[in-house]
Amino acid sequence: MTATILFVDDEPDLEALILQKFRRQIRDGQFALIFARDGLEALESLEQNPHVDMVVSDINMPRMDGLSLLAKLQEAEDKKSTIIVSAYGDMSNIRVAMNRGAFDFLTKPIDFADLETTIEKTIRHVEMLRDVRRRQMEAERAHASLSRFFSPEIARRLAADVDGDGMEVQWRDVATLFTDITGFTSLVESAAPQTLGELLNEYVGGMTEIVFAHEGTVAKIIGDAIQVLFNAPGDQPDYATRAVACAHDLDAWAEDFSARWKARGVNFGATRIGAHAGPALVGNFGGNRFFDYTAYGDTVNTAARLEAANKHLGTRICVSASVAKAAANFHGRPVGDLMLRGRSEPLRAFEPLPEAKFEAPETAQYSEAFAKMEAGDAGAMPAFAALVGMHADDPLAGFHLRRLLNGAKGIRMQLE
């Protein structure tokens, strides 16, 4: 590497002395030297030679002195490492120079051996700064590239850890969401390819932006289905709260999205969401040739089953008791004890509700009817019937009424 050095001094014989002293370094291509007679000329030279690595400047010069030049150099985006030369014993100017950002200082008369040592030290400093900037730029480029394909937290970790050691498989407590769209297979078969492409890209893009806003990790996107993780790969003590808030925002966005596309003549179904919290095996399962950061285990399977349970219940969001209990200020109503496929024990489930709906009178009526059904009270059936009569748009109340009419007992139900 050839270091380009700008010497700024108004002494007429300095240029010849410097060229003589560093003739070997110049000949070997180690140094390239530029000279200026004052601060203004130095600034003009830097405009013409932005690749200058360092500046060696005297203080006392006409038009613009060395301290003023130093201040200008520190204002620039590319702050040049500067050595200030001052008269021996001029401590006040030396202190001003160092406070203004000078890298080092020398005293006159110049000791050329000291000058050479100081220049070499400054060059090492410049090379170190360039290496730091280069690494930072590479990391920023890597993060920007990875962010196109991965959740922000995964992209950040991968950009900082090129070996991917932070993505190793481990057991973690997580909250996981599954989303799916009703009737999507029929839509695929009937919609024009360009329409389907536009629709699905907008849907997935909008849903993932909401997940990222809640700092969730998108673990998988398979067609219209999305799997989301919280508390992985980074620690999120409030992961259950984030999962519930994210589910509400996903539901609201998806409902608006569906309405907009129905206005365009496309019958886009409702989005169903299931959530569960518990331990899962999380990490990169892609081996050495493929990156696949995801989660496996009963927690993940249960969340998928809860998503599917919405189809039977008439709900759009269904979460487990583990999520409801861990989420701060959870607002919701009990669904019942679900016997899900693949599980030997029933799972208490809830439907999260927006605060306004949670505080509405019909929610209290539902809770009263549910409590009677849980206690085996014969009054549960008329209580649910009255609720459905007043609120025919309450699918969960209608679901329980149908169960009771068909002879069901209690709140446990088998779901396929």
Side-chain angles (χ1 to χ4, degrees):
M1 168 189 167
T2 300
T4 302
I5 307 170
L6 171 60
F7 285 88
V8 190
D9 199 305
D10 62 333
E11 291 188 14
D13 58 346
L14 180 69
E15 181 174 343
L17 287 173
I18 294 294
L19 291 173
Q20 173 64 23
K21 172 60 183 175
F22 294 112
R23 63 186 183 278
R24 178 182 58 80
Q25 290 91 334
I26 296 171
R27 182 187 65 238
D28 295 343
Q30 297 177 33
F31 293 170
L33 306 184
I34 303 173
F35 297 88
R37 290 185 293 271
D38 57 43
L40 290 178
E41 189 174 323
L43 293 175
E44 293 171 0
S45 181
L46 287 171
E47 285 187 8
Q48 300 170 7
N49 303 279
H51 59 283
V52 166
D53 296 298
M54 58 179 291
V55 177
V56 180
S57 176
D58 190 20
I59 290 183
N60 297 315
M61 296 178 294
R63 298 201 301 171
M64 179 183 285
D65 61 53
L67 294 178
S68 299
L69 171 62
L70 177 62
K72 291 288 185 181
L73 295 177
Q74 294 304 302
E75 291 173 1
E77 183 177 350
D78 180 19
K79 296 177 175 60
K80 303 296 182 183
S81 295
T82 304
I83 299 171
I84 289 293
V85 181
S86 176
Y88 180 78
D90 189 3
M91 186 55 65
S92 61
N93 276 334
I94 290 173
R95 285 184 60 83
V96 171
M98 300 305 290
N99 288 336
R100 290 188 181 181
F103 177 73
D104 208 338
F105 69 91
L106 296 169
T107 58
K108 286 187 174 182
I110 295 177
D111 181 328
F112 283 97
D114 188 20
L115 174 61
E116 183 175 2
T117 300
T118 304
I119 287 175
E120 291 174 350
K121 179 180 70 173
T122 307
I123 289 172
R124 289 195 298 272
H125 172 73
V126 170
E127 290 175 345
M128 180 191 71
L129 288 179
R130 283 184 174 165
D131 185 59
V132 169
R133 292 192 191 106
R134 178 183 60 79
R135 290 175 180 272
Q136 182 179 1
M137 291 176 63
E138 288 176 353
E140 289 173 353
R141 284 195 297 267
H143 183 267
S145 178
L146 290 166
S147 293
R148 296 174 56 199
F149 305 104
F150 300 112
S151 293
E153 178 65 14
I154 291 180
R156 184 187 67 78
R157 286 174 175 254
L158 287 175
D161 178 17
V162 294
D163 295 327
D165 292 338
M167 300 288 107
E168 71 275 5
V169 176
Q170 58 182 303
W171 281 102
R172 289 184 70 92
D173 286 329
V174 299
T176 182
L177 301 180
F178 269 90
T179 77
D180 202 6
I181 304 169
T182 63
F184 186 73
T185 302
S186 299
L187 180 62
V188 170
E189 294 173 351
S190 60
Q194 58 269 31
T195 299
L196 185 62
E198 179 187 356
L199 180 149
L200 196 54
N201 281 327
E202 182 185 346
Y203 175 81
V204 171
M207 294 284 277
T208 54
E209 286 301 321
I210 291 172
V211 172
F212 294 165
H214 290 274
E215 298 183 341
T217 296
V218 176
K220 272 189 174 63
I221 298 175
I222 305 175
D224 62 311
I226 302 173
Q227 179 191 354
V228 180
L229 297 175
F230 289 94
N231 203 43
D235 294 330
Q236 295 171 318
D238 59 342
Y239 59 89
T241 304
R242 289 175 184 267
V244 173
C246 182
H248 278 308
D249 286 350
L250 290 172
D251 176 64
W253 188 90
E255 284 293 286
D256 179 72
F257 177 86
S258 178
R260 285 189 284 109
W261 276 88
K262 283 181 180 177
R264 296 172 57 177
V266 177
N267 187 22
F268 190 86
T271 295
R272 298 187 301 238
I273 303 170
H276 185 45
L281 202 57
V282 185
N284 175 25
F285 291 87
N288 296 328
R289 303 291 295 251
F290 183 70
F291 185 86
D292 183 21
Y293 187 88
T294 189
Y296 292 100
D298 181 67
T299 296
V300 178
N301 296 336
T302 299
R305 301 285 185 265
L306 288 170
E307 177 275 310
N310 286 290
K311 178 179 179 181
H312 303 279
L313 302 170
T315 53
R316 294 197 303 271
I317 310 176
C318 186
V319 307
S320 66
S322 63
V323 171
K325 290 178 181 177
N329 301 315
F330 177 78
H331 295 145
R333 57 182 182 174
V335 167
D337 291 341
L338 308 183
M339 291 298 301
L340 301 172
R341 181 163 57 90
R343 291 183 64 91
S344 59
E345 297 293 330
L347 181 79
R348 176 60 64 97
F350 293 81
E351 180 192 22
L353 298 174
E355 185 174 0
K357 187 173 181 181
F358 178 74
E359 295 177 350
E362 57 266 27
T363 301
Q365 291 174 296
Y366 173 91
S367 296
E368 182 181 349
F370 185 88
K372 290 180 179 180
M373 183 173 63
E374 188 171 22
D377 190 332
M381 186 182 299
F384 275 118
L387 183 58
V388 171
M390 291 184 292
H391 304 282
D393 59 344
D394 186 340
L396 189 54
F399 170 78
H400 286 307
L401 179 59
R402 290 191 298 274
R403 288 182 63 247
L404 293 171
L405 289 172
N406 290 329
K409 302 291 184 182
I411 62 171
R412 181 178 295 190
M413 61 202 80
Q414 180 75 41
L415 296 181
E416 293 299 326

